[in-house]
Amino acid sequence: MTPEDMDLLAALARQRAGLRIESDKAYLVESRLNPLARREGFESIEAMIAALRAHREDRLIWAVVEALSLNETAFFRDREVFAHLRDELLPSLSRLTDDRPIRIWSAACSTGQEVYSLAMTAAEARDIAAGARFEFFGSDLSDRCLEKAQSGLYTQFEVQRGLPIRLLVKHFENHDEMWAISPRIRQAVRWRRINLLADLSSMGRFDVILLRNVLPGLDPAVHSRVIDSLAARLEDDGVLLVGSGESLEGVTNAVRAVSGQSGLFIRAAA
């Protein structure tokens, strides 16, 4: 690809979804776009980019942007986070919500491992108040990722990445060379394609929103916009979780860090 090709792709990704595409990562871009070019019937990435320049077809532009989005995920990624949810956060929330369900949103869920980990965590949590109900939501920019997430089917490699063997045995069934998550866990999650730069008001309010390890893949210019938009979707006592190594200092005044809990934020007015 030429530098001009990279500039075009970077501009489209930034404008449509706020993605950050670094000019020196052409090899990564090619690895993500090669499968798409083949599916779309182009002889090469260069031919696909030429078609983008010539026609600016909205469907193809979105397909390219989705392919460029980072979809790295795993079950129970950063186990300390899920231990805190299981032992402290979810039990405490369950005692505050009266008859209202506890709503939890994985806002960039990729192929679903994170939100399924959340559902399994809630199922394993002790000290949950009697009658407490949970609603889980998974959203992503990529339709292909959401299709895989909704299927609940994972390879041996995928279940080996972070999933404790006890939970594999309890919540999955082996189907040929794939592992299928149990209908009870799969049906607990609702799915929606969401662009985090769009109006999120239709999503309602949430007790927990996760946006872990997502900001590094976004253009810094949209960080405050995204965080402010998600903060507006939190209940007054709700929490936002970002990656344990991520800081929101200087990004926004809409949330404030919880002392002693890396990556955990609450609404500034709370």
Side-chain angles (χ1 to χ4, degrees):
M1 291 189 299
T2 66
E4 291 74 21
D5 290 340
M6 284 292 294
D7 289 344
L8 173 63
L9 295 173
L12 290 174
R14 182 174 60 253
Q15 292 163 6
R16 294 297 180 104
L19 302 180
R20 180 176 67 177
I21 305 299
E22 299 179 17
S23 59
D24 62 344
K25 298 294 177 61
Y27 66 96
L28 287 177
V29 170
E30 290 176 354
S31 69
R32 295 176 188 174
L33 292 186
N34 262 321
L36 175 63
R38 289 194 296 269
R39 288 197 304 270
E40 294 290 334
F42 293 102
E43 294 182 354
S44 64
I45 294 175
E46 288 76 13
M48 183 171 67
I49 293 173
L52 280 179
R53 291 186 188 278
H55 306 296
R56 295 283 175 153
E57 180 188 356
D58 197 63
R59 183 198 63 80
L60 183 58
I61 289 174
W62 272 115
V64 167
V65 171
E66 289 183 15
L68 291 173
S69 62
L70 181 63
N71 295 314
E72 174 65 22
T73 188
F75 287 105
F76 294 95
R77 187 176 181 182
D78 194 348
R79 288 197 184 186
E80 291 80 4
V81 171
F82 290 94
H84 178 68
L85 283 162
R86 181 195 65 215
D87 298 336
E88 297 184 39
L89 189 54
L90 297 186
S92 67
L93 287 171
S94 74
R95 291 188 284 271
L96 297 174
T97 56
D98 299 321
D99 294 330
R100 180 178 59 80
I102 301 164
R103 305 181 81 232
I104 302 175
W105 178 19
S106 173
C109 73
S110 186
T111 47
Q113 286 94 317
E114 179 174 83
V115 69
Y116 283 138
S117 298
L118 291 166
M120 286 186 278
T121 296
E124 298 291 317
R126 300 176 181 177
D127 300 324
I128 295 294
R133 294 177 293 123
F134 292 88
E135 291 182 354
F136 299 97
F137 295 80
S139 72
D140 201 79
L141 181 69
S142 169
D143 281 325
R144 290 181 66 85
C145 284
L146 290 173
E147 288 173 8
K148 176 177 173 63
Q150 287 177 276
S151 77
L153 292 171
Y154 296 95
T155 65
Q156 183 71 36
F157 174 75
E158 288 169 326
V159 298
Q160 286 176 332
R161 293 189 66 200
L163 184 65
I165 186 65
R166 180 180 63 84
L167 297 183
L168 175 64
V169 171
K170 183 174 182 179
H171 295 295
F172 287 77
E173 292 183 0
N174 187 235
H175 290 184
D176 296 323
E177 297 182 355
M178 303 291 287
W179 289 88
I181 200 162
S182 70
R184 184 172 67 89
I185 297 296
R186 182 167 56 83
Q187 293 167 9
V189 183
R190 295 163 62 183
W191 309 93
R192 188 168 171 182
R193 182 184 182 274
I194 291 288
N195 180 355
L196 294 176
L197 297 189
D199 180 6
L200 304 180
S201 58
S202 65
M203 292 296 291
R205 303 281 289 277
F206 292 86
D207 299 285
V208 182
I209 298 177
L210 291 90
L211 191 77
R212 300 193 307 139
N213 309 300
V214 175
L215 290 179
L218 299 181
D219 189 304
V222 304
H223 286 187
S224 61
R225 175 180 172 183
V226 169
I227 296 298
D228 289 355
S229 185
L230 291 177
R233 297 295 95 220
L234 286 174
E235 294 284 0
D236 290 341
D237 56 355
V239 299
L240 171 69
L241 279 163
V242 300
S244 58
E246 297 177 60
S247 170
L248 299 183
E249 185 176 355
V251 171
T252 179
N253 294 320
V255 294
R256 59 183 175 86
V258 175
S259 178
Q261 296 292 334
S262 179
L264 185 64
F265 293 81
I266 59 175
R267 291 182 65 171

